[in-house]
Amino acid sequence: MTLEEVMKSLEEMGTEQTKKTFLRHGAKEPLFGVKIGDMKKLVKYVKKDQELALSLFHTGNSDAMYLAGLSINPKLMTKEQLQNWAKEAHWYMISESIVGAVAAESQYAIELAREWLKSDDELIENCGWSTYSHYLSVAPDEEIDKEEVRELLNYIENNIHTSKNRVRYTMNGFVISVGSFVPSLTVEAMMVGQKIGKVHVDVGDTACKVPLATDYIEKVEARGKLGVKKKTCIC
């Protein structure tokens, strides 16, 4: 498929109701309002063409950007391309679910996570926490720098409630990821979760809620899934 054909297909899949829902969650124009499940029908056509996936992201259309993330081969992404994606992500679903997940499966995962965590830009810092969280869900335990993770947990404990709005959400998610995917640090993550308690995030005119880290980790443990890694964090 060509870029024009994919964009036409996305437009036909879009609905006003889904578009309104995404806009309430913070999406920016342009977008067609395509449900993720419907969008996945196009992945098999785009996945074979890395350049097409890159072109989709650079359209700035939210639906196309998400499809690009579902279709891209993270292993072929350059550091510069990922940095550009972080800059171009214009709302949190793209920065967290797409840029963070794709970067996490690239060879630059931790390098970029560290870089983005230092950013003053809310969405780019968001990319940093999201990338590190996604990385923990797929990386072998022996490759994880446990001391660095402990330092980040300590930073979250002391700073989460005064951090930028959406950053608070991904910081909370980081605590959950540590507790869920790194068993040797589950107890420490639970302790931090208990200390930070309920995290307030302005989610706009939506019914979304911020999960309580301790409750979430306990549910993972109850399912016997602590430490069970994902095959991919891109979804």
Side-chain angles (χ1 to χ4, degrees):
M1 295 180 76
T2 65
L3 175 62
E4 291 72 21
E5 289 171 336
V6 176
M7 294 301 290
K8 180 65 175 174
S9 295
L10 285 171
E11 184 175 9
E12 292 171 352
M13 289 178 172
T15 66
E16 279 303 311
Q17 184 56 50
T18 301
K19 182 174 180 177
K20 288 178 182 177
T21 298
F22 284 157
L23 289 172
R24 283 202 307 273
H25 279 77
K28 308 293 183 184
E29 294 277 12
L31 76 160
F32 302 125
V34 183
K35 294 179 180 178
I36 307 304
D38 292 338
M39 184 187 299
K40 289 182 178 181
K41 298 172 185 176
L42 294 174
V43 171
K44 62 181 178 181
Y45 299 108
V46 182
K47 204 166 188 177
K48 304 171 185 177
D49 191 338
Q50 187 83 349
E51 289 305 314
L52 175 56
L54 291 170
S55 296
L56 282 167
F57 194 91
H58 293 313
T59 63
N61 178 289
S62 183
D63 301 301
M65 295 169 87
Y66 205 101
L67 176 59
L70 294 176
S71 309
I72 204 79
N73 183 341
K75 304 301 183 187
L76 299 180
M77 292 282 280
T78 67
K79 182 180 177 182
E80 183 179 14
Q81 286 171 331
L82 289 163
Q83 288 170 321
N84 287 335
W85 274 32
K87 292 174 185 175
E88 292 176 32
H90 46 55
W91 73 292
Y92 72 80
M93 191 168 86
I94 303 300
S95 65
E96 295 171 18
S97 301
I98 292 302
V99 181
V102 171
E105 293 193 18
S106 77
Q107 60 182 308
Y108 307 102
I110 295 303
E111 181 180 351
L112 285 173
R114 290 168 179 160
E115 175 186 315
W116 292 337
L117 286 176
K118 298 175 184 176
S119 177
D120 292 327
D121 183 289
E122 182 174 356
L123 287 180
I124 292 181
E125 184 180 356
N126 227 20
C127 284
W129 288 109
S130 180
T131 297
Y132 216 130
S133 295
H134 284 303
Y135 170 79
L136 295 177
S137 76
V138 295
D141 266 12
E142 61 271 17
E143 294 181 11
I144 295 172
D145 185 337
K146 309 296 196 309
E147 284 307 309
E148 181 173 64
V149 173
R150 285 190 178 96
E151 289 173 7
L152 291 173
L153 285 174
N154 183 63
Y155 179 84
I156 289 171
E157 180 182 330
N158 294 316
N159 295 279
I160 188 168
H161 296 296
T162 56
S163 293
K164 298 179 183 68
N165 186 61
R166 197 65 200 181
V167 172
R168 296 197 291 275
Y169 189 92
T170 43
M171 280 181 166
N172 189 66
F174 181 85
V175 177
I176 291 172
S177 287
V178 175
S180 301
F181 297 109
V182 191
S184 62
L185 297 177
T186 296
V187 172
E188 291 172 62
M190 284 290 287
M191 290 173 64
V192 171
Q194 289 168 355
K195 290 177 181 176
I196 65 176
K198 185 175 178 60
V199 177
H200 172 72
V201 176
D202 182 357
V203 294
D205 184 24
T206 74
C208 293
K209 296 181 180 179
V210 183
L212 198 64
T214 49
D215 287 356
Y216 196 106
I217 296 169
E218 285 173 352
K219 288 176 182 177
V220 173
E221 184 176 22
R223 296 198 307 269
K225 295 293 186 180
L226 283 182
V228 178
K229 303 286 184 172
K230 298 180 179 179
K231 292 183 179 179
T232 179
C233 55
I234 301 172
C235 61

